[in-house]
Amino acid sequence: MIGKSILASLFVFLLCLAGAGAAPLPQQLKVAVSVDSYPYMFTDDNGEIAGLVIDYWREVGRQQNIGIEFVAANWPDTMMLLQSGQVDLHGAVGRTPARAATFLLTDLNIDAFSNVYVMQDLNGANAIKDLQPFMIGVVENTGHLAVLKQHLPQGNFKYFPNVTAMYQAALDGEIAAFAGLDRLPEQTEGYVKLKRLFPMHRRIALNRMELAFALMPANRTLAEQLAQATSQLSRSYLDELERKWLGVPADQDTLLLGVSVNNQPYMHVSPQGDAQGLFVELWQQWSEQTGAKVTFVPDTSSNNLQNLQKNRIDAIVGFPSNNDLPQEIMTAYQLYGFKSHFFTLKQSAETPLSATSEIKIGLFGNAPYQAELRRRYPKAEFIRYRQLPDMVNATLNGELAGFFGASAVMPLRLQQLNQGDIFVAQQDTVVFAPIYTLVHSDHPELAEKIRQGFSNFTLDWLIETEKKWVVQPDLWYFPQFRKQIPLTETELNWLKSHPALRVGMLDDWPPMEFVDDAGNPAGVTVDMFNLLSERLKVDFNIQIYSNFNEMLQALERKEIDLIANVSEQEERRSYARFTDEFWSTQWAVIGPHDTGMVVSTSELNGMRVAIYKDYKLARHLNDTYPQIQVVPVNSLRDGLELLQQGNVDYVVDSVEASSEMVRQAGYLYLRIQILEDLPTYPSLIAVREDYAPLVVMLNKGLRSIGKEERQQLYQNWFSFQVTQGINQAQFRQRMWQIGGVVTLLLTFVVIWNLSLRREVSLRRQAEQKMRFMATHDDLTQIPNRSLIKERIEQALLQHARHNEILALLFIDLDGFKEVNDQYGHEVGDELLQKLAAILGTAIRKSDTVARFGGDEFVILLTGLLSRDDAAIVAEKILHQLAEPVALSVGEVQVGASIGIAVYPDDGTNCARLLRVADSLMYRVKQQGKNQYCFSKVVIS
């Protein structure tokens, strides 16, 4: 391939030299293109010629300042146009030996693939050879046929004059598979049904096609000129073309995520073609948390890798990392990890797999644990396979003793192959496989966005979500974090070579880190590292420093390995890597007890404010509040000394450090106030830059420390400091002060209480009104989008617990726009109010009707016995709307298009159910309106 590219480049270079004085390109070129070769060249819904090849030649024309005239015809006729001289060239053909002998061909440098689309219900057809007994459709005189006959010399082929006839035969059930290009044409009549019957993830790659433009041999000079012109198209432009036409249609700001099918319960597609599984739900949650839109692209693992290489998708949701990944692909985040076992025939299970076993073992081609298995079983021979059926057949035929596969996936896959009863997993052969999200190596910023998004997931949510999909407790991944972090073999080996890690800590920063009276390191940070040590099985040796800068310099010199409670700053990235956030810093201002209330930072303008010099906040104050006189200090204690001496007006530090410091002797008459308008900064662990693998392991460890454990760490040290920080003399003095204040307050409270009651009553009424306004539609006074989503989420939790059915009805009014346009917005508003009342009468008190926006309504039906209950409500609504609606201007007639999504058949979360119901509503719109539609059938 590299040699071919070098020769092509040399050819173009020689053309440039030889063509310096050559004649220019003609001012107008006629290019033959096909009307039915989607997505390369086709006729769109408006009757215009479109496609990748069209955009390609238009760009050539723009760059060369020449006119391009497309002559469109059915595929067989386009070749006749070229041979008869009616056109100058053919825009794109697949390179074959026969065509190379007939025409002058020049590569377009576009990767195209010939595929066979297989019927959804054709079980067991996972490779071309499996299609031998079935009828395969193919268009005459296309490049697909020659390749198909190479694979299936005795194949059953049915020939068609064009793709339209072939697609119709597929819809009519006359063929079980057909040959085609990368995508099915969306403008084809019956496209939705065709896509459902022959889904993308069931296609089998036939071969890579070399696309070329073709000229007759007599036009060699023009061919050379066009070769020079097309060579000026940049690779980035060609990549954009491929993503636009060969990728999945989506908005530009939507991430396309490859989902590897046939991997239940982790990732697969439903019978309706929707991606589902544990990994899919993790990514749906990531989308909700980050606000990034995503679209799932189900396909085979190998196709996903190819699409990611070509930037046709943005990421692969989960893939076993191994050394065979293409160099264009990088790991972004370890999403998961699962166990794999050795599966063998039941009659062979009595012979356990051991280090002395001299047998042949099958592995999937992307299995990441082959090196570990070779060390365990040095006398075994390992053979790689692409498909599970091939390994199963090899085992049944005696060619293999068995194979390794994912423990949660294999039982269902074997059952689908009708082999579930004869295979068994050997329990003592477990091996761990980490699963990573993959991205293109050109997009490291996307990898970081993915990592940051998943780092915000709580362990509790991950555990509960996994339990919904993975049934066997011994196969759960996330609960392991509670006791011992599940590390990969590479990570374990790294820790073995680094048995003790040096941690830098400060001697006087309570309660986070300090030295206690016995001279031992103590504080929240010490307890945190004790937890990490227990769960990562690594020793942390603490080294004490009295100065934070000296500690940072020690990290830079690699005298220590990591420091906690550090913020990420540009100058530190040259010598440190940083973990995810484990808690954030909130700020407090300390001043004399007789100072006034400080509500916002701007009230410190003109004041002298002491702050630790290396805090990121110090720069923020200088930049954002230039009128504050910032006084940098070496420690909080130094700042408090300046405050007591009157050399500064206030001191700013973290809430934790401030509250503990002022409780100590000598700081009794200081006052702490929290500044909520200051930015919070994440507290991170800084790791020496050559210890990057440690960052990933620490992130796993930090994830294992749940919210309750983190709160307990804080409470342990705050309670200790409170009981130890005040002596008896200070306590008695404070009690006298409190007694005097209480006497004065009692008199004031009696008077104040009377006015307070009235104020509370008024405020309560205002809050209730504001709460209603925030959750209800102003016009119709029924729940709005926000409230219906909240009620759906609550209902889903309840129905999941009791294994009940609920339904969402997504309603769009038919004829509302006409009424609104004819009579005006006031009448339109009156109609919406009447319709809201009508919908309310069609449901029970336990159900909810909400205005979703415009003329769209959503109804939540709970506690259903079957989907028929939802159909009854839909029919009731349609029946009521069949009657004219009386308005101030007279009677009007409207209808409704209703899409119905059912839990759990159509989805298990709010966003998914709303999307399904919305799409079904639009399907009703397309099929005649005034109907309702489930995911499988439309009912008038």
Side-chain angles (χ1 to χ4, degrees):
M1 185 70 184
I2 295 175
K4 181 178 177 181
S5 299
I6 294 173
L7 289 173
S9 300
L10 181 60
F11 174 67
V12 171
F13 175 71
L14 292 174
L15 283 176
C16 293
L17 291 178
L25 282 167
Q27 286 301 302
Q28 187 80 11
L29 286 176
K30 286 188 176 182
V31 182
V33 292
S34 169
V35 296
D36 54 5
S37 297
Y38 186 89
Y40 297 95
M41 36 192 172
F42 63 97
T43 303
D44 64 18
D45 293 336
N46 298 320
E48 300 292 332
I49 196 70
L52 184 150
V53 173
I54 307 305
D55 286 355
Y56 181 99
W57 284 107
R58 282 175 177 159
E59 179 63 15
V60 171
R62 187 192 68 79
Q63 289 189 10
Q64 302 300 321
N65 197 26
I66 61 174
I68 302 292
E69 178 186 349
F70 295 107
V71 181
N74 288 328
W75 172 256
D77 297 334
T78 59
M79 305 305 293
M80 296 174 58
L81 289 173
L82 177 61
Q83 291 175 311
S84 64
Q86 298 179 55
V87 295
D88 298 303
L89 68 149
H90 195 296
V93 299
R95 182 185 288 273
T96 64
R99 289 173 181 164
T102 308
F103 306 107
L104 296 177
L105 302 180
T106 303
D107 287 345
L108 294 175
N109 292 317
I110 295 287
D111 283 337
F113 292 89
S114 177
N115 303 278
V116 175
Y117 289 79
V118 181
M119 187 177 291
Q120 166 77 15
D121 299 332
L122 206 62
N123 295 325
N126 301 299
I128 296 296
K129 59 182 177 60
D130 299 330
L131 298 175
Q132 179 67 52
F134 303 102
M135 184 67 70
I136 304 172
V138 61
V139 176
E140 298 170 341
N141 300 320
T142 58
H144 308 301
L145 183 58
V147 182
L148 273 172
K149 287 188 174 180
Q150 289 178 4
H151 290 278
L152 296 173
Q154 305 300 320
N156 299 309
F157 302 115
K158 187 168 184 177
Y159 304 102
F160 296 91
N162 51 60
V163 293
T164 303
M166 184 175 69
Y167 292 150
Q168 188 58 51
L171 291 171
D172 295 340
E174 298 175 11
I175 52 179
F178 58 84
L181 296 171
D182 297 77
R183 278 170 47 189
L184 296 174
E186 297 178 12
Q187 77 279 8
T188 299
E189 184 176 353
Y191 164 74
V192 174
K193 182 179 179 182
L194 186 68
K195 183 182 177 182
R196 178 171 55 82
L197 292 176
F198 296 84
M200 294 285 286
H201 67 271
R202 288 304 313 274
R203 63 182 178 174
I204 302 172
L206 196 55
N207 74 316
R208 177 182 176 276
M209 296 174 58
E210 294 184 18
L211 286 185
F213 61 88
L215 290 88
M216 296 303 295
N219 286 340
R220 183 170 299 276
T221 299
L222 179 58
E224 292 172 351
Q225 292 174 320
L226 288 174
Q228 180 180 348
T230 55
S231 69
Q232 296 176 27
L233 296 177
S234 66
R235 185 65 253 175
S236 61
Y237 173 76
L238 297 178
D239 288 342
E240 288 177 11
L241 270 188
E242 291 189 15
R243 183 178 176 94
K244 174 183 176 181
W245 291 105
L246 305 182
V248 174
D251 296 336
Q252 194 166 3
D253 60 345
T254 298
L255 292 177
L256 301 179
L257 306 178
V259 175
S260 299
V261 297
N262 292 325
N263 286 289
Q264 308 97 311
Y266 302 120
M267 46 186 171
H268 190 49
V269 289
S270 69
Q272 290 76 33
D274 300 319
Q276 61 182 20
L278 172 60
F279 297 172
V280 174
E281 185 164 352
L282 294 180
W283 270 96
Q284 287 171 337
Q285 181 69 11
W286 180 92
S287 173
E288 290 186 15
Q289 288 203 2
T290 62
K293 294 188 291 186
V294 300
T295 293
F296 296 102
V297 185
D299 213 327
T300 63
S301 297
S302 57
N303 284 347
N304 278 330
L305 281 178
Q306 289 179 353
N307 290 334
L308 185 57
Q309 275 184 279
K310 299 297 296 180
N311 271 316
R312 296 178 185 176
I313 59 176
D314 298 293
I316 297 176
V317 298
F319 198 90
S321 177
N322 57 69
N323 296 328
D324 295 332
L325 287 177
Q327 63 179 6
E328 299 93 346
I329 294 176
M330 62 180 286
T331 59
Y333 178 77
Q334 185 183 342
L335 183 73
Y336 194 73
F338 58 66
K339 296 177 181 177
S340 292
H341 282 87
F342 179 62
F343 288 82
T344 187
L345 296 171
K346 285 186 176 179
Q347 61 263 32
S348 305
E350 297 178 357
T351 305
L353 187 60
S354 68
T356 59
S357 299
E358 298 183 17
I359 57 176
K360 293 182 179 180
I361 298 175
L363 293 178
F364 283 103
N366 56 15
Y369 39 71
Q370 183 171 353
E372 182 179 353
L373 292 180
R374 289 187 185 280
R375 287 193 295 271
R376 285 193 197 179
Y377 314 110
K379 295 187 177 182
E381 179 184 353
F382 295 93
I383 303 173
R384 294 197 172 204
Y385 289 82
R386 291 190 62 181
Q387 302 284 346
L388 175 62
D390 295 336
M391 285 198 291
V392 169
N393 291 332
T395 305
L396 293 173
N397 297 334
E399 301 170 17
L400 296 176
F403 52 87
F404 273 87
S407 309
V409 176
M410 286 301 105
L412 183 57
R413 292 289 308 279
L414 290 170
Q415 185 177 349
Q416 291 172 343
L417 297 172
N418 298 319
Q419 305 293 342
D421 296 334
I422 63 175
F423 281 89
V424 64
Q426 291 192 7
Q427 294 304 312
D428 57 348
T429 59
V430 65
V431 62
F432 181 77
I435 300 298
Y436 292 86
T437 292
L438 305 181
V439 299
H440 198 281
S441 56
D442 289 343
H443 304 139
E445 72 289 344
L446 175 59
E448 180 60 20
K449 181 178 181 179
I450 291 170
R451 188 194 65 78
Q452 290 182 358
F454 280 116
S455 68
N456 294 324
F457 283 27
T458 65
L459 184 58
D460 290 336
W461 185 87
L462 290 169
I463 290 173
E464 290 304 313
T465 303
E466 181 180 23
K467 288 179 180 179
K468 290 195 303 185
W469 294 98
V470 182
V471 179
Q472 293 177 256
D474 60 322
L475 299 181
W476 289 340
Y477 171 71
F478 293 117
Q480 300 177 58
F481 283 77
R482 294 293 193 203
K483 298 179 180 179
Q484 182 175 349
I485 310 302
L487 300 177
T488 67
E489 183 186 17
T490 302
E491 291 168 341
L492 291 171
N493 290 335
W494 192 95
L495 288 180
K496 286 179 182 178
S497 61
H498 303 80
L501 298 168
R502 301 162 296 176
V503 181
M505 289 190 186
L506 294 174
D507 62 355
D508 189 21
W509 193 43
M512 304 307 296
E513 46 195 67
F514 60 97
V515 175
D516 62 18
D517 295 338
N520 298 318
V524 177
T525 304
V526 175
D527 286 356
M528 180 188 71
F529 274 106
N530 286 338
L531 276 176
L532 292 176
S533 175
E534 178 184 341
R535 294 175 184 179
L536 289 172
K537 303 302 178 187
V538 63
D539 293 329
F540 293 105
N541 297 331
I542 297 176
Q543 298 185 14
I544 300 299
Y545 291 82
S546 58
N547 183 281
F548 185 73
N549 274 339
E550 292 178 2
M551 190 163 62
L552 280 177
Q553 291 169 5
L555 181 67
E556 186 173 8
R557 293 192 298 267
K558 298 182 173 57
E559 296 171 0
I560 55 176
D561 304 314
L562 57 156
I563 302 172
N565 302 302
V566 179
S567 62
E568 185 175 2
Q569 298 182 18
E570 186 64 36
E571 63 271 16
R572 295 173 183 169
R573 292 175 184 154
S574 62
Y575 60 85
R577 300 290 180 267
F578 298 89
T579 65
D580 296 331
E581 175 184 345
F582 54 93
W583 43 60
S584 58
T585 302
Q586 192 170 14
W587 303 101
V589 60
I590 310 170
H593 71 283
D594 56 353
T595 56
M597 180 73 70
V598 179
V599 178
S600 66
T601 308
S602 60
E603 295 179 29
L604 300 179
N605 286 338
M607 301 290 183
R608 299 164 298 171
V609 178
I611 185 170
Y612 177 61
K613 60 182 181 181
D614 280 331
Y615 277 157
K616 203 172 183 179
L617 182 65
R619 299 181 185 179
H620 174 79
L621 291 177
N622 277 322
D623 296 339
T624 310
Y625 302 95
Q627 296 181 38
I628 296 178
Q629 183 181 342
V630 177
V631 180
V633 293
N634 291 319
S635 67
L636 173 57
R637 194 179 297 276
D638 289 348
L640 293 175
E641 292 298 326
L642 291 176
L643 180 63
Q644 289 192 319
Q645 295 166 9
N647 294 324
V648 295
D649 302 300
Y650 292 96
V651 179
V652 171
D653 210 297
S654 70
V655 172
E656 297 85 0
S658 300
S659 60
E660 294 309 305
M661 188 65 75
V662 299
R663 286 190 178 114
Q664 298 179 5
Y667 301 124
L668 189 62
Y669 296 104
L670 296 179
R671 180 182 186 183
I672 298 178
Q673 302 178 69
I674 296 177
L675 293 175
E676 295 185 351
D677 61 342
L678 285 177
T680 59
Y681 293 108
S683 289
L684 316 174
I685 299 176
V687 180
R688 50 188 280 188
E689 55 88 18
D690 57 335
Y691 277 17
L694 179 60
V695 174
V696 178
M697 289 179 272
L698 288 173
N699 283 335
K700 292 182 179 180
L702 293 173
R703 168 181 283 177
S704 74
I705 305 176
K707 182 179 180 180
E708 293 182 359
E709 285 184 301
R710 297 186 190 205
Q711 290 175 344
Q712 188 61 46
L713 289 177
Y714 264 72
Q715 291 171 1
N716 288 344
W717 287 103
F718 278 127
S719 61
F720 171 79
Q721 292 293 333
V722 168
T723 57
Q724 299 295 322
I726 302 177
N727 58 34
Q728 292 183 1
Q730 293 169 339
F731 180 76
R732 286 194 298 270
Q733 184 181 17
R734 183 170 291 179
M735 289 301 99
W736 279 108
Q737 293 171 340
I738 292 173
V741 171
V742 167
T743 303
L744 293 173
L745 283 176
L746 285 174
T747 304
F748 173 74
V749 166
V750 173
I751 301 172
W752 179 64
N753 188 51
L754 296 174
S755 62
L756 180 62
R757 288 183 181 179
R758 175 174 172 77
E759 183 180 345
V760 169
S761 177
L762 292 174
R763 181 174 296 179
R764 200 171 279 161
Q765 294 174 9
E767 287 178 351
Q768 291 174 350
K769 183 176 181 180
M770 290 176 64
R771 189 179 299 114
F772 184 88
M773 291 173 62
T775 58
H776 289 71
D777 178 54
D778 290 339
L779 177 65
T780 61
Q781 301 298 296
I782 63 175
N784 61 13
R785 179 191 295 250
S786 174
L787 183 55
I788 188 67
K789 286 185 175 181
E790 180 180 332
R791 291 187 178 177
I792 293 171
E793 296 287 1
Q794 293 172 351
L796 286 172
L797 292 175
Q798 179 181 357
H799 285 62
R801 188 177 300 114
H802 300 291
N803 196 27
E804 293 178 326
I805 298 173
L806 67 78
L808 293 185
L809 277 62
F810 202 111
I811 303 171
D812 186 86
L813 300 179
D814 301 329
F816 172 78
K817 184 177 183 301
E818 289 76 5
V819 174
N820 204 44
D821 292 344
Q822 181 177 355
Y823 298 108
H825 294 296
E826 291 184 0
V827 174
D829 290 347
E830 181 186 356
L831 176 58
L832 289 174
Q833 292 171 331
K834 288 287 185 72
L835 291 172
I838 291 172
L839 295 177
T841 62
I843 62 175
R844 303 164 298 177
K845 291 183 179 180
S846 59
D847 301 325
T848 302
V849 58
R851 186 182 177 197
F852 211 65
D855 60 345
E856 294 178 339
F857 294 83
V858 170
I859 293 179
L860 168 63
L861 304 177
T862 58
L864 305 183
L865 297 177
S866 72
R867 52 191 275 160
D868 293 339
D869 294 342
I872 292 172
V873 175
E875 290 173 355
K876 187 176 180 181
I877 293 171
L878 293 176
H879 177 73
Q880 290 180 338
L881 293 182
E883 300 295 328
V885 180
L887 300 177
S888 59
V889 295
E891 292 185 340
V892 297
Q893 187 74 54
V894 293
S897 297
I898 307 175
I900 307 176
V902 179
Y903 167 88
D905 296 344
D906 297 319
T908 56
N909 61 62
C910 174
R912 172 66 190 158
L913 289 170
L914 285 171
R915 281 199 300 270
V916 171
D918 186 30
S919 64
L920 293 173
M921 179 272 291
Y922 277 106
R923 186 189 300 179
V924 172
K925 288 277 190 187
Q926 295 170 355
Q927 299 183 9
K929 301 182 179 181
N930 206 36
Q931 307 172 69
Y932 65 91
C933 173
F934 288 97
S935 58
K936 293 183 178 179
V937 63
V938 177
I939 304 172
S940 300

